[in-house]
Amino acid sequence: MKKKAIVMVSGGPDSSTLLYHLKTEFELVPVYFDYGQNASDYEIVAARKISEELNLHLEIIDISSLRRTFLGLNRRDNISLSINGNCPVALLSIAGLYATERNIDTLLLGVHKEDFPEIKNITSTLNKYSEVLEEFNNKHVEVSAPFITKKKKEVFELAKQLNVPFELTRSCERNSYIHCGECNPCKERVCQ
């Protein structure tokens, strides 16, 4: 029997590639955390389509009220609260607690080397985070980022090898059906 693992998904190419990459190694549980991001409706659609392609059930956790509670922001206010944006600790904490409650001891992130340029050793940081979770919850949850040594270009190359359906993924930060081509995630997508 395969070990269960939660994968934090965004509907984007990186987390989608992670699902395809690890589909034979783990019993994957894709989880989308809706924190009220501008493009959440479109990200959910993309995450659901990718999950369905792999015969997985996408779990959606609505934490959008935290946007207003902690930051005093409304849905229309534009701020990035993502795993590689302003609040990775908050999202990791919620995801770690969710994994603990589900008795799942592995939490996987689709982040890559270029997502955290300011952190010298992200693997060590994630290991410390695992230790904190264990300290507070009396349960070990391994927090892992399998692509952390890869550049985005390498993740995209792997995605091509795995036949990840890029046309189903979402990169744009804007609340628009069509990728804008102007925001950073759109530009990164085009460059790959």
Side-chain angles (χ1 to χ4, degrees):
M1 191 161 103
K2 291 190 273 187
K3 184 177 175 180
K4 270 190 172 182
I6 287 178
V7 180
M8 292 178 69
V9 298
S10 63
D14 302 333
S15 62
S16 298
T17 301
L18 185 60
L19 287 172
Y20 273 76
H21 180 60
L22 296 176
K23 67 183 179 182
T24 59
E25 189 175 332
F26 290 95
E27 181 182 335
L28 299 173
V29 180
V31 179
Y32 179 89
F33 291 91
D34 182 354
Y35 51 85
Q37 55 275 48
N38 292 329
S40 63
D41 292 341
Y42 300 106
E43 290 176 354
I44 289 169
V45 168
R48 185 172 284 131
K49 285 180 180 178
I50 291 293
S51 297
E52 288 171 355
E53 285 288 315
L54 294 169
N55 295 315
L56 300 171
H57 172 72
L58 175 67
E59 296 184 21
I60 301 167
I61 309 300
D62 184 355
I63 56 172
S64 58
S65 64
L66 298 181
R67 184 179 178 95
R68 186 174 34 84
T69 303
F70 290 128
L71 299 172
L73 299 173
N74 296 312
R75 186 180 260 294
R76 70 181 177 278
D77 294 320
N78 187 16
I79 188 168
S80 174
L81 292 173
S82 64
I83 193 63
N84 57 348
N86 299 334
C87 296
V89 174
L91 283 176
L92 278 175
S93 297
I94 293 167
L97 290 171
Y98 186 70
T100 300
E101 288 300 313
R102 293 280 314 273
N103 288 317
I104 298 174
D105 61 7
T106 304
L107 175 61
L108 301 168
L109 315 174
V111 296
H112 54 79
K113 186 181 206 172
E114 297 158 324
D115 282 330
F116 294 101
E118 70 283 354
I119 299 176
K120 300 251 186 272
N121 187 343
I122 190 67
T123 302
S124 173
T125 302
L126 293 176
N127 288 339
K128 289 176 188 171
Y129 183 75
S130 293
E131 291 171 13
V132 169
L133 277 174
E134 186 169 7
E135 182 77 23
F136 283 99
N137 298 304
N138 295 320
K139 181 172 183 350
H140 179 74
V141 175
E142 178 188 354
V143 182
S144 177
F147 297 155
I148 203 60
T149 60
K150 297 182 181 303
K151 292 184 175 184
K152 189 167 192 82
K153 181 177 181 159
E154 294 172 288
V155 175
F156 273 58
E157 288 169 0
L158 177 61
K160 289 175 188 168
Q161 292 171 15
L162 297 171
N163 294 315
V164 176
F166 266 45
E167 68 278 6
L168 300 181
T169 65
R170 173 74 182 185
S171 296
C172 190
E173 293 176 341
R174 299 208 179 141
N175 188 13
S176 168
Y177 176 73
I178 298 172
H179 284 86
C180 73
E182 297 172 4
C183 67
N184 284 339
C186 279
K187 289 176 183 175
E188 289 173 358
R189 182 182 181 110
V190 171
C191 289
Q192 307 309 320

